[in-house]
């Protein structure tokens, strides 16, 4: 939701914010994370994992990307790898 991203990126109400001030690498990570989540919901978990692993490499400290990757890994039948994300 807008509120989540406004808080996450410290954007005041009324100020445009979508992908504002993100580096190209951060923008790519956001895009791939969202696309990976869509693929996972569509039942394409193996493709989702591929996209989300690239997103996580581009933005390793982003908790939303790591969460999306964990969900996709579980959907792909890789719960051990999903659990291992907590160790990184």
């Amino acid at each position: 939701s807008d509120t989540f991203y406004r808080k996450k990126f410290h954007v005041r109400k009324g100020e445009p914010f979508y992908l504002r001030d993100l580096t190209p690498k951060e923008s790519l990570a956001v895009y791939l994370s969202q696309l990976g989540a869509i693929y996972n919901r569509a039942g394409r978990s193996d493709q989702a994992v591929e996209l989300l692993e690239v997103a996580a490499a581009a933005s390793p400290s982003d908790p939303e990307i790591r969460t999306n990757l964990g969900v996709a890994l579980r959907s792909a039948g890789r719960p051990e790898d999903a659990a291992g994300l907590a160790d990184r």
Side-chain angles (χ1 to χ4, degrees), residues 18 30-49 51-52 64 68-69 71-72 75:
Y18 187 70
V30 169
Y31 172 77
L32 292 176
S33 177
Q34 295 305 306
L35 185 58
I38 290 167
Y39 273 27
N40 194 53
R41 285 193 300 273
R44 297 166 66 178
S45 56
D46 290 333
Q47 290 172 305
V49 168
L51 292 171
L52 290 160
E64 182 178 7
N68 288 344
L69 177 55
V71 170
S75 296

Side-chain angles (χ1 to χ4, degrees), residues 4-22:
F4 171 79
Y5 286 103
R6 286 189 185 283
K7 286 181 182 178
K8 182 175 180 176
F9 295 109
H10 310 285
V11 178
R12 291 182 293 256
K13 194 163 182 91
E15 187 177 339
F17 68 95
Y18 187 70
L19 299 180
R20 182 190 66 113
D21 295 335
L22 296 180

Side-chain angles (χ1 to χ4, degrees), residues 52-65:
L52 290 160
E53 286 177 334
V54 173
S59 188
S61 63
D62 188 311
E64 182 178 7
I65 293 172

